[in-house]
Amino acid sequence: MQIRSVTTPFGRRPMTLALVRRQIETSEIKPGKTADKWKVFRDASEARELLGLHDRSLAVLDALLSFYPDKELRQDAQLIVFPSNAQLALRAHGIAGATLRRHLALLVEAGLIVRKDSANGKRYARKDKAGAIDSAFGFDLSPLLMRVDELAMMAQHVVADRFALRRAKENLTICRRDVRKLISAAIEEGASGNWESIEAMYIGLVARIPRSPTLSDVSSILDEIQILQQEIINTLEMRQKDENLSTNDDHSERHIQNSKPESINELEPSSRNGQGEKGVDGNQTQREPVRNFPLGMVTRACPEIAMYGPGGSVGNWREMMIAAVVARSMLGVSPSAYQEACDVMGPENAATAIACILERAGHINSPGGYLRDLTRKAKRGEFSLGPVLMALLRMHGQGDIAVG
């Protein structure tokens, strides 16, 4: 039976505009609409946190549905159930009276049921001469039928979030293991690098993981640990390249010593020059660029860069580099300064550096000079984007944290 009027609660329970709105909405349920009451209940159970409900609330809702005789909730049916508190408490596994009333109020507040109180607050039904229920006073289940699609979507959202959280936790566990073992191996084997600082950074990140983390918590920490992992890999790769370069130099020197004097200039390798240095032939030589950070991390750490991309968004590295060129011009960074950064850092990392500068533009007096300084440090191996990105991620995730 559709609700065609608005009823107010009995006794001291207040009337609210939200209750008025829900009663009006339930009177407009699409004709012929039906739903399996237990399917609706399962969806409401999945979405209980979004609805602000507890396990006891669901037990009370389950008991209320058990008083509805049919399996399907129907728009053209009598959707008001009218059990006494004693009957309701019994079917809700012996819940105490005060607890029962509190959870009934939560179900009303969540918009899953509506009270239809009689003049004296009692719950009962009146029957016509044929024995059919003519009018009833109790709890109206119409909101469940009205919100069946919404509850299904909420349940799917919760399930998807739960799956995403589980995957994020797995990825975090694997990343933590990899970083921990890489640091230990580097320290034990005496690899060059500031491993004490890296280890302290790792310990600090792990200490920030809450006991019961949310998806946002896990994603934020995972981003930062992945950046740290990339920093470690970059450091180890550069060490390996330096060792290979040293080995090649030794081999070349022995070869030169065993060769005729006139062959020295021909056999001296240009690879012994570092990135940005000139070889014996006067041509510029380049080391292989340092590996880039994932674009998703960069855009999360530097969201401002997106507005400079094509169509106001950045979806790939090509769009990121287009956005960086636009932002570079806006910041007043000269083309030569940006080109030098591209030559030293690689185009992706240079674009990332511009995004970081843009994010902190209010704290940087001369973006062009700042980029040139970063480029010089990067050329000497004294600068990395990892700590900058981590600081920006923390700033966006935990408020206005100062970034060095």
Side-chain angles (χ1 to χ4, degrees):
M1 183 181 68
Q2 292 181 333
I3 299 176
R4 295 298 183 185
S5 61
V6 173
T7 61
T8 59
F10 171 78
R12 296 182 178 180
R13 287 191 295 268
M15 185 63 179
T16 66
L17 295 181
L19 289 175
V20 174
R21 185 180 67 253
R22 288 169 193 157
Q23 292 189 50
I24 293 173
E25 288 172 348
T26 55
S27 69
E28 298 173 352
I29 296 175
K30 184 179 179 181
K33 186 173 184 177
T34 64
D36 185 317
K37 67 179 182 181
W38 298 121
K39 169 65 167 59
V40 179
F41 175 75
R42 287 193 296 272
D43 289 340
S45 298
E46 287 283 7
R48 64 183 178 276
E49 291 186 4
L50 298 178
L51 294 167
L53 300 177
H54 307 286
D55 291 342
R56 289 290 186 90
S57 307
L58 296 174
V60 173
L61 181 60
D62 177 74
L64 285 171
L65 287 169
S66 72
F67 285 100
Y68 180 76
D70 299 329
K71 182 181 179 181
E72 284 195 333
L73 301 172
R74 303 193 316 275
Q75 175 267 341
D76 59 352
Q78 166 60 256
L79 293 176
I80 296 176
V81 294
F82 40 88
S84 66
N85 279 353
Q87 293 173 318
L88 195 53
L90 184 62
R91 293 201 188 182
H93 313 295
I95 191 171
T99 305
L100 174 66
R101 290 189 291 273
R102 183 168 69 253
H103 288 288
L104 283 170
L106 286 175
L107 290 171
V108 172
E109 185 178 345
L112 298 185
I113 62 174
V114 172
R115 294 181 187 271
K116 187 177 180 183
D117 290 343
S118 64
N120 59 6
K122 300 295 183 181
R123 300 175 203 138
Y124 60 89
R126 288 200 183 99
K127 296 184 179 180
D128 58 20
K129 293 180 180 179
I133 295 178
D134 178 59
S135 61
F137 299 94
F139 297 103
D140 190 351
L141 304 177
S142 296
L144 287 172
L145 180 58
M146 179 191 69
R147 300 180 65 185
V148 59
D149 297 328
E150 179 191 356
L151 292 172
M153 291 295 294
M154 292 173 72
Q156 291 174 18
H157 180 73
V158 169
V159 171
D161 279 355
R162 187 183 302 136
F163 177 76
L165 177 59
R166 183 167 65 249
R167 289 292 299 272
K169 284 182 175 180
E170 290 174 356
N171 291 336
L172 179 58
T173 298
I174 293 171
C175 194
R176 284 180 59 185
R177 179 194 67 198
D178 293 346
V179 169
R180 177 66 273 175
K181 290 191 174 183
L182 285 171
I183 293 174
S184 297
I187 293 174
E188 290 171 5
E189 297 183 26
S192 58
N194 191 1
W195 298 109
E196 290 78 9
S197 175
I198 292 175
E199 184 174 40
M201 194 177 298
Y202 168 77
I203 292 171
L205 287 172
V206 173
R208 284 172 43 208
I209 302 175
R211 179 168 296 181
S212 300
T214 63
L215 177 59
S216 176
D217 294 330
V218 176
S219 298
S220 176
I221 299 295
L222 178 60
D223 279 348
E224 294 188 49
I225 289 188
Q226 285 177 331
I227 290 175
L228 184 62
Q229 181 184 35
Q230 193 64 63
E231 283 289 292
I232 293 170
I233 293 172
N234 287 343
T235 301
L236 294 176
E237 281 185 345
M238 293 304 297
R239 175 179 179 271
Q240 184 64 42
K241 290 172 188 174
D242 289 342
E243 288 180 353
N244 293 341
L245 189 62
S246 176
T247 301
N248 291 339
D249 285 348
D250 291 342
H251 175 75
S252 297
E253 287 173 4
R254 288 194 299 271
H255 192 106
I256 291 168
Q257 291 171 359
N258 295 329
S259 301
K260 294 180 180 181
E262 59 269 20
S263 64
I264 291 179
N265 289 338
E266 296 177 4
L267 297 175
E268 186 171 356
S270 62
S271 63
R272 64 187 296 159
N273 295 284
Q275 180 175 312
E277 297 176 354
K278 291 185 178 180
V280 294
D281 57 358
N283 294 326
Q284 196 82 1
T285 61
Q286 298 273 335
R287 284 184 182 174
E288 183 180 343
V290 177
R291 189 178 300 177
N292 307 319
F293 294 97
L295 179 62
M297 291 183 191
V298 175
T299 53
R300 283 194 292 275
C302 309
E304 292 291 328
I305 194 67
M307 70 176 66
Y308 296 92
S313 64
V314 169
N316 53 52
W317 276 111
R318 180 179 176 278
E319 293 178 352
M320 178 67 174
M321 286 185 275
I322 292 173
V325 171
V326 177
R328 185 271 307 163
S329 177
M330 188 277 296
L331 290 168
V333 176
S334 67
S336 61
Y338 185 59
Q339 184 59 51
E340 185 180 4
C342 290
D343 292 340
V344 173
M345 303 180 190
E348 291 86 356
N349 284 332
T352 300
I354 288 291
C356 293
I357 292 172
L358 176 66
E359 205 67 28
R360 301 288 292 164
H363 303 269
I364 299 173
N365 292 328
S366 174
Y370 188 72
L371 180 62
R372 287 190 184 277
D373 184 53
L374 295 184
T375 303
R376 285 192 293 270
K377 289 180 178 178
K379 196 171 184 179
R380 298 194 301 266
E382 298 173 357
F383 169 73
S384 173
L385 288 164
V388 179
L389 291 172
M390 290 172 68
L392 288 171
L393 281 168
R394 285 195 298 272
M395 182 181 74
H396 293 304
Q398 300 180 17
D400 189 15
I401 297 177
V403 180

